Amino acid sequence: MRYSVLQILKEGLTGNRGWKPVWREPDPKQHYDIVIVGGGGHGMATAYYLASVHGLTDIAVLEKGWIGCGNVGRNTTIIRSNYLLPGNEPFYELSMKLWEGLEQDINYNAMVSQRGLINLFHTDPQRDAAVRRGNAMLLAGAGAVLLDREALRRKCPFLDFDNERFPIKGGLWQPRGGTVRHDAVVWGYARGADRRGVDVIQNCEVTGFDIRNGVCRGVETTRGAIGANKVAVCVAGSSGQVMGLAGLRLPIESHVLQACVTEGLKPAIPGVITFGAGHFYVSQSDKGGLVFGGDIDGYNTYAQRGNLPTVEDVCEGGMALMPMIGRARVLRMWGGVVDMSMDGSPFIDRTPVEGLFFSGGWCYGGFKAVPAGGYCLAHLMATGAPHRVAEAMRLDRFMTGAVIDEKGMGAQANLH
Amino acid sequence: MPDRQLMARAALDGHERTIGTVAVAEVTDLALVSAAVPRGSDEAFAAALARGFGAARPATGDSTVGDRCAARVLGMQPDQVFILFVPPDPDRPAETVSATLESAAYVTDQSDSWAMLRMTGAGVRTALERICPLDLDDRVFPQDRVARTAMEHLSVIVLRDGADSFLLMSPRSSARSFRHAVELSVEHVSE
Amino acid sequence: MSGAFRLDGGAIERDRTLAFRFDGQRLTGHPGDTLASALLANGVRLVARSFKYHRPRGVFSAGSEEPNALVELRSGANREPNTRATVAELFDGLEATSQNYLGSLRHDLLAVNDLLAPFLSAGFYYKTFMWPRSFWERVYEPAIRASAGLGRLSGEADPDSYDKGFLHCDLLIVGAGPAGLAAALEAGRSGARIILADEDFLMGGRLNAESHEVSGRPGAAWAADAVRELASMDKVRLMPRTTVIGAYDHGVYGALERRTDHLAAARGKPRQILWRLYTKRAILCAGATERPIAFGGNDRPGIMLAGAVRTYANRFAVGTGRRIGVFTNNDDGWRTAGDLSAKGVPIAAVIDVRDVDPATAVADARIRMNSRVAGTWGRHGLRGITLATGERIELDCLAVAGGWNPNVHLTCHHGGKPVWRDAIASFVPGDRLPGGMSVAGAAAGGFTTAGALADGHRAAVAALGELGLAVATGEPPVASDEATEAAPFWHVRESRGRAWLDLQNDVTVKDVEQAHREGFRSVELLKRYTTLGMATDQGRTANVLALAIMAGLTGRTIQETGTTAFRAPYTPVPIAAFAGRSRGKDFRPTRLTPSHDWAEGRGAVFVDAGMWLRAQWFPQTGETHWRQSVDREVTGTRGSVGICDVTTLGKIDIQGRDAAEFLNRIYANGFAKLAVGKVRYGLMLREDGIAYDDGTTARLGEHHFVMTTTTANAVLVFRNMEFARQCLWPGLDVHLISVTEQWAQYAVAGPNSRRLLAKVVDPEHDISNEAFPFMACAEVSVCGGTPARLFRISFSGELAYEIAVAARYGEALMEALMAAGEEFDAVAYGTEALGVMRIEKGHAAGNELNGQTTARMLGLQRMVSKRKDCIGNVLSERPEMNRDDGMELVGFKPLSSGDELTAGAHLLALNAPADTASDEGWISSVAYSPTLETSIGLGFVRQGHTRIGETLRAWDALQRSDVRVEIVSPHFHDPDGKLLRA
Amino acid sequence: MIIDHPLLGPRDAAEFVYLGDACLIDRPDPGDENAARLFHDYLHIRDNPAGEHRELWFHEHGDRSWLVVTRNTLTHEIVRVELARDVALARGRDR
C-alpha cells in the first residue's frame, strides 16, 4: 500500500478500516542469507539498504522486544553533521544526505525537520575550536555559519544575554541540522524493508551464536536456531552482552543517557540549541514539547533509568541558557542505555569471527547516524569492503593508535 | 629595602551578619594546617599529636579537641588530619605544627585555602537543609563530627562545634559565592 | 456566598471571599477552593479545548489526573501554561486564561480539525505531507506546530526563585489519605523520624471527599485531628503541597514542594523546593485514580469522574450540575448518587452496566440496570444522554464510574511491572518494588476506608520492625466498611459517535482499533503511534481502558498486554524547580583571585577561565581597542617589566619519602634527580599516550615538591595523582594536598624583573643571576618578613620569576609589586598579553594541548623518557601515533604582512581543492605580535618540521578568509632562550 | 544513589566521581614483552557486565578516597564498598 493524500482521503471516507499492517509478522525461517540482530534504527536501516541498494532480500531482522524499543525510540531526535575529525565528518554528512531524501525513498513521513542546529560558544578557545570545526564541515560540504552575539540575539532573543554566568560569544550554526520523528524512522525503514521481502521478527531474542571453526553460521534464539551466511549485530547498549555470546570483548561500556520532555507548548524555540558552558541541548517537537537532554549519568548501567543529579544538572544548564523555560513543566524523563566507546566514536567493522559483523559504539549519537550506519554496514556486508566514509571506524584502532577522539578526552568511556 | 609591609586581607573582610535567628560570621583568627601521616608511622604520629597538642588522633569524619593552642584536630582522610588552632605566628602556622609534632607528619599550611564561616543560632540546621546534603541530625552528626561535602557546586567542610553551631569552610577563591549561598538559605527560611 | 452551584458543608471558608478572573470574567470563590471548584461553583463548564480536534472540554476530575481543565495561570512573566485547574488553589486576585484555541474559547476556529477528523486518524501525518519535499519545513510543519502545543510560555525569564533541599528520615509516607495517616500515626507515636508528604494542600485524601465515618466521626474531622496530632510530634515533618515525583536509587526520593503557588505573590521566598529525600523505608499510600468508561460522545463538558463529583460536593460544597446522572460499572458509582442526593442535588438517572439489584434506592432517579450510555448531546456542555436502548435522558452532568486504578507509579520507577488483579479489575503493584518501599491502602488495591486504615497501620508496624524501632501499642482506627463490587467494563459497543479514551490528545477507541490493524499492537507501539497517554496527564484516566481494548482486539489477557513504563515525574515539574538557584550569575560559583578587587579597580576586563575570572587586559585612558591595551602590555613587559596574576594555576603540594619517585612516574620526563632548590618543566601524558598537562614542579626539600598544573586541569590532575597514589602504587610514601587556593602567585617578567623584585624581596635573599639562576626556586620573605616562594621560571620568554605569598597577602603584594615597578614603568598584564607572549615564544597551551595531540606532535617527543616507566609511556608508542607523515606543531606567518591569521583555519596546498581529502592541518592559536609587528600563529601541519619555508593556504571559509601563509619555526621570539638566562 | 563509605557511612553519590571498571587497578607491567597488547586491553577492553560490576569511585567532595564499589548494573544495588587502596594492596600492588 502506497501512502498518499489520496489514500488518506479514501480511508477517511470508509472509516479507516482498510489500512494494512505496516510490516508483516512472519515466523522465522530456518535459514537466511543474512541475519541482523537488533530491530532498532541501525538494524532496520541495514536491512533496508541491503535490500534496496544491494538487492539482497533473504534477510531476517531479529528483535528481542518490539521494533524500535531501544535507543531509536528514546533519544532527543537530533540530526546533524557537525563533526570535526576526518574519520567522522564525511560519514555524518553522508547520513545527513540520506536523511534529506529519506521520506520519499521509504514513502513514510518521518518528519525530517531541518530547522537548524546551533552550538553556542562562550570563550575564545571555544570559538577557535568552533571555527576549526566549522571549516571542517565546510570542507566536507556539510555547510556551517558562524554567528556572532548580535546575530544570535536576532535568532534567539530568549537566550540569557544579560545576566549570564558564562557570556555567550556566538554560535556555530548548521542550517541543515534539525530533528526527526524518531519512532517513525524505524517504522518507515521496517515498512520499506518488509515490502522488499525482509522478515521483521519481533519478540525473538538471540541467545547464542553458532560459531564453528571461527566462522559464524547462524544464531540461536528464543524462537529456535536460525542459520545464516552472515550475521550483523546492531544492538547499541546491549553490544557487550550480545557480542559476549560470541566470545568477543569490546572497547565499550554501557551507560544511561537521560532525556526529558515538557508538556506541550506553543512554538517557542527554533531548531536545536546546544549550551557550551554546561550540559544542555533542546529542541521543540511538532507536538510542542521541549525535548532536552544533557550528559550521561556517568556510571555503567543497563537500567533504562538514571538519577536526579543528572536531571538537575541538565535543567540548571537550561535555566542558565534560557530562563524563559522555567515555568515549562517536565512531563517525562527517560533513560536509554548507550554503548559508550573508548574514544566516543563508533565501529562498523568485521569481527575476528568470520561472517560476524558489528555496528556499535554509537555512544549517545547513534540516532543521527542511522541512515549512514545502515548504509555503510550494508555496503561492508554486501561488497566485503568498508564504505569509504566509514573506513576509520575499525575495532582495532586502539591497538594501532588511530583513535577518533572528537572531544580529546582519552580512553575513558564516560567522558565522551 | 622594602618600603612597605604587606597587609593581610581576609577572604570576606571579616564579614558578619545576623538574619533572623541565625548569625553568620567569618572566622579569621584560626590557622589551619594539614598533617599527613607518613606510611607506617601512625603510632608515632598519634603520640606526637598527644604530646604536642594534647589531642587524640580522630577517626576520619571525627574531630578531637586538644588542650594546647585551642587546637582541634579534624580527621579529613585516612592518612591526613587538619589541625585548626590559634597560631602564635599567623604567617608561619605550618612551621608551628611541624615543630609541635616534632616532624612526625608532612605539614602544609591550609589557612588561606579556606574561607571559614561560623553559623550559629536556633535555625541553623533548617537553613542548611537548603544546601547541605548531609544528615545533620543529632544522632547522625553530633557535636565534633566533621565532613567534607558539596553545596551549590562548592566543596565545603562542615564541622559541628556546638549544638547550634557549625563551622563551614569552603575554598577561598569562591568565598563570595559561598557566603551568598549560605545567607540566601538563611533568608529563605527566615520569616 | 459565591456561585449558584454552591451546596452546604465542605471544607471551604465561607466567610472569606476571594475574587478571581477567568478569561477576563470576574468571579468569586473561597479559601479552600481550587480554581476548578470555584469555576464549577460559578457554573463555568467550558474551560478548555482539546489538543488535536479542539473539542470543547470541561473539568473532568478533582485531582492531578486532570486531562481537560488546563489553563494559563497568572500573567506576564509569571504566566504558567497548562496549569491544572483542579489542583490550583484559589487566591485573591488569581487570573486564569483558557488556552489552545484560535479566536475564542467558545468559537475556536481550529475546531475545523474536528470536521476533518476522519482524515486525521492515528498516525495520518506519517502517510502524507511528503510532497513536495521542501514544503515540510516551509508549509506543513509550521501549520502543524501552530495548531499543536497547548499553552504559551511568556517568553520572559521566570521571575520566581527556587530552592533545592535535602531531608533525611527513617520513614517516608507518600500520601496522607486514610492509609498514610494511619501509618504516620503509628510510626510517629513510635518515635520514628518520619516525613508525611501529600500533593494536596489539605491532608486527608479521600476522607475529605467522602461521607464515611472513622472512629465514629466524620472522616474529614478524624483526618484533621490526626494531622494535628502529627504536627505536635517533633520527629514528624508534615509536607502538604508536596508531590513525591520519583523513586531513585537506594531510598532517595524526589519531591516537589509548592511554597507560594497558593499565594498572590512570593514575596522573595522560593516558589517551590525540590527536595531530595533520603529514606530508610517508604510506604506508598498514594491512593487510586478513578477511570471512566468509553462511550459515544463521552468528552463533553459536564461528563466527569463519579468520585470527582463526590469530591466537589462533599469537600468543596459544589454541585457539578442541576440534574446529575451516574453511569457506573460498580457500587462506588452509586455512592455518588447517594451523596449528591443527600446534598439535595437531583439525580436524574443511575445507569449500571451490571445485571444486579440496585445498590441503594435513589429518590426520583431513573434506575437502569444492565444498561449503557451510547451517546450524548450538548455542544458546549452536556445536555443529555442516549442509552443503548434509545432512551433519552436530559441532564447536565454525568458522573462516570469505571473503577479505580491504584496509583502504582512509584512502585514501577525501578523497572518493576504492575500485575493485573482480576478481583478488582485493576493493576496492583508487582513484587519488584524499589528497595525499602512497601505499599498500603488503595495504592495496593484495597479500596475500602477500613481496609486502608488497617493496611497503613500494618505497613507502619512492618517498617518499624525492619528499622529496629519499638512499635507503639496502637491499634488501627476503624471505619465502616463499604461495598466495592465491580464488573470490568471498558467500552460501550453500541456507542453513537466517537468514544474517547485520551481526552487531551483526542485518542478514540477507533484509533486503537486502527493501530491494531496496522500492527502497532505492543502497548508501547500503541502509545507511540496514537499518542495515547502522552499528554500532560500521562493518560492516568485513559491508559487502562485503552490497553484493555487492545487486549480484547489481540485476544491476549490484560496482564499479557501489560502497561507502558511508568516514569518520573509522577506529575509534571517545572524546569526551574530542577535547576533551583543555579541560574543567571548563580549558575556556577565564581572564583576570584586575591587581587581581583585590585584589578577591578584598575578597570581590568575579565575573562572566564573555568570558574575563575581572570584579568584579560587593563585598558588605559585613551585606549579604544583591546589590541592597543594588549600591545602596550606586551611591549611594556618585553621592554622593561610586566606583572601578571597567575594564581589560577593549579598547585599541588607533594610530600613523602617517595615523592620524587612518584613524580618520576607521573611525568613523562625524569624528576628523580631534580635538585633541591630547582624547578623543572614537566609533561604529563594520559595512559593512552596523549599529552595531558604541563607545568613546572619545584623541589623545596628532599621530600617536598610543589607542582603547578594548568588552570583547566588542576582538579583532574589531582584526582589522577590520587588514583596513582592509592590504586597503582599504594606502597609509596607520598601525600598530596591542593594548595591552589593557598598561594597568590604573580609572574614578574621582563628585563627589569630582577631589579623590581630586589626591591620587594627581603635583602637577606640573594636573587642575583649567579645565586638564583634560571629554574631556581627558594622560600624567601618579602616586604619585611612576609613568607614567600620565589621561582625563576618564564612563560613569556623573558627573564622572569613567579612569586607567591599566602592568599591573604595577594592583593597587598600586587600593590607592592606595582609600586616597586613604578620606576621601571612596570605594566600589569592580563591573559591576553600572556597569550601573545607564549605564542611568540612557541609554548603550547590549551588550544594545542587539547587532548588530541601527542608529545611528538607538540615537538616534545624528547621529553618522553624511554628509560623509565611513566603513565602513558607504553601506549605512546602505538604506530599510528608515530607516523612519519603525522601532524607537527609549527609556526605560521602571513605571506603578506598586512594579512591576519585566524585560529581554526585549515591548511591546504595552494592548488588543492577545498575538501576533506586535501586538509593538511589547522591553525590552533593566533596573535598579533607587537614584537614582530605581524600576525603570527601556531598550528599543526603534516610533517611540519620538514616543511619550514613552504607556503600554504590558511583556508577559513567560515569567516571568509583565505590567506597565504609561510610555515616557520614555532619559536618566534628568542629561539635560543638567551633572555631567560640573562 | 547512596554509597556506603567504609569510613564515613552512607553518602550521596553526587559527592563522588566515577572512573570505571576496577580492573584499572591492575596496571600491567610495562616491561612485559606483550606490554603493548596488555596496556591496550587494560585501558580499553571491558567486560561491561550486566550484573555485578566492580568499579572505581573517587570521593572528591569527601575524604578523597578512591573506593571499589561492587554494584549491580541491572538494579544499581550495591553489595560491597571497599577502600581501593586496600584492594590494590591485596592484589599485590605496592611500590
Side-chain angles (χ1 to χ4, degrees), chain D residues 14-51:
Chain D
E15 292 179 347
F16 295 77
V17 174
Y18 182 84
L19 176 62
D21 195 313
C23 70
L24 284 165
I25 290 174
D26 302 322
R27 187 171 184 266
D29 175 5
D32 192 291
E33 61 183 63
N34 292 317
R37 166 63 64 183
L38 292 175
F39 268 85
H40 165 267
D41 291 359
Y42 161 75
L43 196 61
H44 301 101
I45 302 301
R46 295 289 175 260
D47 287 339
N48 195 23

Side-chain angles (χ1 to χ4, degrees), chain B residues 1-77:
Chain B
M1 193 58 202
D3 54 3
R4 56 195 295 169
Q5 292 225 311
L6 302 185
M7 297 293 290
R9 185 174 173 192
L12 293 168
D13 298 316
H15 174 82
E16 289 182 8
R17 191 176 162 204
T18 298
I19 306 160
T21 60
V22 177
V24 179
E26 186 182 13
V27 175
T28 57
D29 58 345
L30 293 178
L32 186 68
V33 172
S34 77
V37 186
R39 287 265 181 272
S41 304
D42 293 85
E43 285 177 23
F45 173 72
L49 201 57
R51 273 197 309 277
F53 287 102
R57 182 180 175 187
T60 307
D62 265 327
S63 71
T64 57
V65 177
D67 56 13
R68 257 148 278 173
C69 300
R72 184 186 277 275
V73 187
L74 287 59
M76 298 306 299
Q77 294 178 205

Side-chain angles (χ1 to χ4, degrees), chain B residues 91 106 108 112 173 185 190, chain C residues 269 581 653 733 741 808-809:
Chain B
D91 284 344
Y106 305 113
T108 307
D112 289 50
S173 64
S185 299
S190 299
Chain C
K269 299 294 192 219
R581 301 179 191 169
D653 200 52
D733 181 46
E741 304 273 336
R808 76 188 76 169
Y809 294 116

